């Protein structure tokens, strides 16, 4: 049974209920003194607690899709989707991740079939959300993605038109499922586009790590995963090769929440010619090593410089400001990053521009980010230039 299957979850719930029932039923039998009775009581308690914890853990993971498979949970990635595996010989079909098969490849549901409220109906009136794998031309990395295509993408009058694009990044350790089910990104964008509050935009939803369960933080790790190159260079190249999206950077933006928001700011400030607009909801403003990231900056003599260059406050103090527009979301109460957000906004200088969404109260969760999302998408829509070029032009 798959890690996220309902069958496994229901089975574990039944096991937990049975363990509780057996403990209540058998407890008088082990109420006596002696090593055997003590061991019996301990065994029942341990078995019951393990069953309950396992059932709760499966319920949370099934709902939030933190880990999509047993391999992800255990960190086993011989041929995992996060990296190119073994290649085919003599032109035979290789595994997912072979760039010769296309930089955007069709995939299975990847949890999309469990997302509620997606646009329904003919694509030319409702739009469409599809699941793909994005293949890195340089990094040979593969990352699953949901792609929202607005209704106009399928309408005859727009047949040669290119569209602005937003690359949306989830937090860690979540994935694309969370962007659809809990942030409700495609549903919200579809409503705004339908009501004329946002221009038709292609939205590409990705997880920020390229080597799960490691949190790669959109950093090119020396001798390790090249996450920054993947998001800053491979993803735009792949999308341009497959979808009718703008070639000019003015039509590109990046959006994220939590660690995905941190990545969004990093990508915009470090690659302003790729992502000149960024929305960051509850981000951090520097990248640091921790138990989930491992050593992101290497052990060489350049490690201090690398760490500094991923500290956005250091960049604002020591480097020329990039020509980008950013929107930061935070809360005065309930968000521990409010002082850092205020410091960041206060340090922004021309030609960089910054706006903010500041709630009176909001915790680090989806309820807060859903409140901020409509305003964030409308801000992004106004920041992006609708491409003037059409299919057939360079």
């Amino acid at each position: 049974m798959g890690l996220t299957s309902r069958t496994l979850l229901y089975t574990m719930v039944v096991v937990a209920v049975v363990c509780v029932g057996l403990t209540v039923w058998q407890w008088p039998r082990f109420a006596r003194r002696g090593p055997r009775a003590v061991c019996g009581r301990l065994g029942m308690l341990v078995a019951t607690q393990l069953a309950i914890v396992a059932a709760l853990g499966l319920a949370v993971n099934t709902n939030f899709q933190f880990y999509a498979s047993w391999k992800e949970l255990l960190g086993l990635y011989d041929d995992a989707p996060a990296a190119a595996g073994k290649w085919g010989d003599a032109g035979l079909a290789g595994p997912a991740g072979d760039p010769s098969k296309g930089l955007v490849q069709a995939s299975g549901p990847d949890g999309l079939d469990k997302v509620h409220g997606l646009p329904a109906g003919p694509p030319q009136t409702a739009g469409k959300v599809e699941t793909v794998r994005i293949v890195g031309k340089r990094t040979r990395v593969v990352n699953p993605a949901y792609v929202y295509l607005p209704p106009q993408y399928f309408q005859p009058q727009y047949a040669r038109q290119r569209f602005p694009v937003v690359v949306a990044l989830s937090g860690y350790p979540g994935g694309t499922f969370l962007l659809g089910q809990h942030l409700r990104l495609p549903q919200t964008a579809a409503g705004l586009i339908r009501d004329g509050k946002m221009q038709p935009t292609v939205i590409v939803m990705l997880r920020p790590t390229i080597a799960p369960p490691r949190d790669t933080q959109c950093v090119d790790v020396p001798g390790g995963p090249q996450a920054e190159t993947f998001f800053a260079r491979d993803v735009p190249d792949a999308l341009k090769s497959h979808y009718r999206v703008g070639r000019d950077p003015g039509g590109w933006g990046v959006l994220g929440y939590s660690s995905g928001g941190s990545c969004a700011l990093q990508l915009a400030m470090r690659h302003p010619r790729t992502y000149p607009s960024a929305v960051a909801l509850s981000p951090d403003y520097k990248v640091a090593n921790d138990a989930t990231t491992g050593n992101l900056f290497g052990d060489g003599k350049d490690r201090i410089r690398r760490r500094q260059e991923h500290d956005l406050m250091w960049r604002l103090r020591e480097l020329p400001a990039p020509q980008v527009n950013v929107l930061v979301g935070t809360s005065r109460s309930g968000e521990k990053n409010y002082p850092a957000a205020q410091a960041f906004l206060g340090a922004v200088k021309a030609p960089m521009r910054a706006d903010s969404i500041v709630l009176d109260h909001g915790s680090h969760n989806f309820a807060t980010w859903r409140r901020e999302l409509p305003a964030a998408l409308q801000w992004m829509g106004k920041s992006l230039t609708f491409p003037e070029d059409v299919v057939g032009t360079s």
Side-chain angles (χ1 to χ4, degrees):
M1 289 180 283
L3 182 61
T4 60
S5 73
R6 294 285 174 180
T7 302
L8 178 61
L9 172 60
Y10 296 150
T11 300
M12 202 64 238
V13 169
V14 171
V15 170
V17 171
V18 169
C19 285
V20 171
L22 287 175
T23 299
V24 173
W25 182 35
Q26 294 291 328
W27 194 261
R29 191 176 164 192
F30 294 98
R32 298 184 296 273
R33 295 180 180 178
R36 184 177 177 182
V38 171
C39 289
R41 292 196 295 271
L42 287 174
M44 288 190 295
L45 290 174
V46 169
T48 300
Q49 298 224 16
L50 286 176
I52 293 173
V53 169
L56 290 173
L58 285 170
V60 171
N61 189 65
T62 300
N63 191 37
F64 288 96
Q65 299 278 314
F66 293 124
Y67 299 99
S69 68
W70 293 106
K71 280 190 174 183
E72 281 196 16
L73 179 65
L74 300 174
L76 304 176
Y77 292 97
D78 291 340
D79 293 318
K86 301 168 185 176
W87 289 67
D89 297 324
L92 299 177
D98 183 345
S100 68
K101 308 303 176 184
L103 301 180
V104 177
Q105 302 173 3
S107 73
D110 278 331
L112 187 64
D113 53 335
K114 301 176 183 176
V115 176
H116 302 299
L118 292 175
Q124 62 269 26
T125 58
K128 179 183 178 183
V129 182
E130 59 186 27
T131 58
V132 298
R133 304 275 172 169
I134 295 181
V135 182
K137 180 169 61 176
R138 299 167 185 82
T139 59
R140 302 293 176 89
V141 161
V142 181
N143 227 6
Y146 294 167
V147 180
Y148 167 73
L149 302 170
Q152 291 80 0
Y153 193 91
F154 303 97
Q155 295 171 1
Q157 62 268 38
Y158 289 90
R160 298 184 63 229
Q161 179 64 57
R162 299 187 186 278
F163 290 82
V165 58
V166 173
V167 174
L169 303 175
S170 69
Y172 174 85
T176 53
F177 176 81
L178 300 186
L179 289 162
Q181 176 68 7
H182 296 287
L183 187 61
R184 301 186 64 77
L185 177 53
Q187 300 92 321
T188 304
L192 292 172
I193 293 171
R194 183 182 60 247
D195 296 340
K197 297 179 179 179
M198 180 182 178
Q199 62 185 337
T201 303
V202 173
I203 300 178
V204 182
M205 293 157 268
L206 292 154
R207 61 188 179 190
T209 178
I210 65 169
R214 184 178 185 179
D215 183 5
T216 49
Q217 286 280 347
C218 294
V219 172
D220 279 351
V221 180
Q226 302 295 288
E228 184 174 5
T229 296
F230 177 76
F231 288 108
R233 303 184 66 189
D234 284 345
V235 168
D237 284 351
L239 298 176
K240 290 174 185 177
S241 74
H242 190 80
Y243 294 104
R244 299 197 320 272
V245 294
R247 276 20 185 186
D248 187 271
W252 284 72
V254 59
L255 174 151
Y257 65 86
S258 190
S259 60
S262 306
C263 282
L265 287 180
Q266 293 277 340
L267 290 168
M269 292 182 66
R270 291 173 61 83
H271 301 274
R273 294 185 179 180
T274 302
Y275 299 109
S277 298
V279 170
L281 307 179
S282 305
D284 291 320
Y285 299 92
K286 65 179 179 179
V287 175
N289 293 330
D290 60 29
T292 64
T293 66
N295 186 352
L296 293 172
F297 308 109
D299 298 316
K301 60 182 180 181
D302 293 334
R303 68 184 185 279
I304 295 177
R305 175 185 59 80
R306 292 193 189 98
R307 185 170 63 249
Q308 286 177 331
E309 290 181 349
H310 284 280
D311 182 335
L312 300 185
M313 294 300 295
W314 182 90
R315 295 185 71 88
L316 288 173
R317 288 194 309 268
E318 305 295 333
L319 301 177
Q323 190 167 345
V324 295
N325 301 328
V326 301
L327 174 69
V328 171
T330 187
S331 305
R332 293 185 180 88
S333 173
E335 281 275 22
K336 65 180 182 180
N337 71 346
Y338 177 68
Q342 293 298 97
F344 174 82
L345 292 167
V348 170
K349 55 192 175 185
M352 182 176 174
R353 293 187 299 174
D355 295 307
S356 64
I357 299 173
V358 181
L359 303 179
D360 288 334
H361 180 81
S363 300
H364 197 82
N365 57 35
F366 286 104
T368 297
W369 301 324
R370 283 195 299 268
R371 291 169 60 195
E372 298 169 336
L373 184 61
L377 287 175
Q378 291 179 75
W379 179 93
M380 182 68 82
K382 294 175 182 177
S383 298
L384 301 183
T385 303
F386 200 87
E388 294 183 2
D389 58 330
V390 297
V391 175
T393 63
S394 58

